[in-house]
Amino acid sequence: MTRAVGAASPWRAAAFVIPCLLLGSSPTKAAAQGIVEFQPRANFATGSQPIAVAIGDLNQDGRPDLAVANAASNSVSVLLGSAVGGFAPRTDVPAGVNPHGVAIADMNGDGEPDLVVVNSIASTVWIIPGTGTGTFGPATQIPTATAPYAVAVADLNGDGKLDLAIPNNAAGTISVMLGDGAAGFSLLDFDTLVRHRAPVVAIVGNNGIWGLEKHPMRALYGYDVVAELRPETRYDQVVAALGGHGELVTDPAEIGPAIDRALASGVPALVNVITDPADVYPRSSALM
């Protein structure tokens, strides 16, 4: 029986390091006393220098699977779960340069789990769409601030759409990435951020539409309703008026420099990136 007692125990750390898997044991007297126990570890092969892991049902079979970011081999290893707590041999998915963080979430609203990977050296986040079978399509790459080291996914502003929070190790900041529909709901939160001088940089992908609604309606019905936003809304000017730093970006080559200036501003900042409304989001679910 492997036993972990206290935060300093090496076994507690090992429980979160892949390829080592520690399964919880049955309740015992020791467990009742607050001692965490595990069965003997099982090891599973990954890529080089595994540094982060996420757990989710990647192939929709009701069993948890693993996605492991491999910093040295520039990949994510996908290990599909079995019925007895083991895993099939890995499949490696290309994931940018020096991936340091990984999350599993349905980012494009198609009902299938996707991979979200941050690349520390490349300073990018990759959205890798899943097919629901444990395989993945071509990635979308988005610039971040310098040296992102992790990623968390949640609906940060209550608009029903998932957002990203990315800590930037070299910059000493956290970047929040919202869609332009989300910005319309949450932009005045910058008033609070400015008053508390929170080191937050938000990057808005501003395509002037509700893309996850407009494109499926067009595909299914040949028309869309209530899916338009005001083109090129100046969210950056709103943030500047609240006392933060705002920039408008229309050239992809300027995204990185704009993020650097936002980080250097010393105040909460928003980078308003104009994107193409004709660029269709990948989506396979039916619109009811």
Side-chain angles (χ1 to χ4, degrees):
M1 184 76 66
T2 301
R3 177 168 297 184
V5 183
S9 169
W11 294 112
R12 183 180 297 270
F16 300 95
V17 176
I18 297 299
C20 173
L21 177 69
L22 301 181
L23 300 178
S25 64
S26 301
T28 64
K29 181 179 179 181
Q33 296 173 345
I35 300 173
V36 181
E37 296 182 333
F38 296 94
Q39 298 176 26
R41 72 177 185 269
N43 295 330
F44 300 89
T46 68
S48 299
Q49 195 181 338
I51 200 166
V53 61
I55 301 174
D57 186 3
L58 293 171
N59 60 352
Q60 306 285 50
D61 65 352
R63 299 167 183 156
D65 309 310
L66 303 180
V68 184
N70 305 304
S73 55
N74 297 333
S75 65
V76 168
S77 293
V78 173
L79 292 82
L80 300 179
S82 70
V84 294
F87 296 90
R90 77 182 195 264
T91 298
D92 289 339
V93 179
V97 180
N98 198 229
H100 265 67
V102 61
I104 298 172
D106 180 12
M107 297 302 300
N108 57 8
D110 68 351
E112 314 293 357
D114 310 313
L115 298 177
V116 183
V117 185
V118 291
N119 300 294
S120 183
I121 291 178
S123 294
T124 58
V125 56
W126 281 30
I127 310 297
I128 309 176
T131 64
T133 64
T135 60
F136 299 87
T140 297
Q141 302 180 40
I142 304 169
T144 67
T146 305
Y149 254 63
V151 61
V153 182
D155 180 5
L156 296 174
N157 51 6
D159 69 344
K161 301 178 185 297
L162 293 178
D163 310 307
L164 304 181
I166 301 173
N168 306 298
N169 184 56
T173 61
I174 185 167
S175 297
V176 177
M177 294 188 173
L178 309 172
D180 56 328
F185 283 107
S186 61
L187 203 61
L188 286 178
D189 288 343
F190 267 89
D191 176 63
T192 301
L193 297 175
V194 169
R195 283 187 284 110
H196 292 278
R197 300 189 66 82
V200 171
V201 176
I203 300 95
V204 175
N206 186 349
N207 63 0
I209 62 172
W210 292 101
L212 287 177
E213 285 74 31
K214 181 181 179 70
H215 295 142
M217 281 191 283
R218 284 280 180 182
L220 291 171
Y221 311 126
Y223 65 90
D224 62 87
V225 293
V226 199
E228 302 286 342
L229 300 170
R230 182 178 177 179
E232 299 190 14
T233 299
R234 294 299 301 271
Y235 302 118
D236 53 298
Q237 291 182 345
V238 175
V239 171
L242 292 171
H245 173 86
E247 287 203 34
L248 178 70
V249 175
T250 58
D251 182 351
E254 286 299 313
I255 296 175
I259 293 174
D260 289 339
R261 290 190 293 271
L263 292 168
S265 69
V267 295
L270 181 142
V271 179
N272 187 13
V273 182
I274 304 301
T275 61
D276 186 356
D279 189 9
V280 178
Y281 288 85
R283 182 171 182 154
S284 60
S285 61
L287 184 68
M288 304 300 291

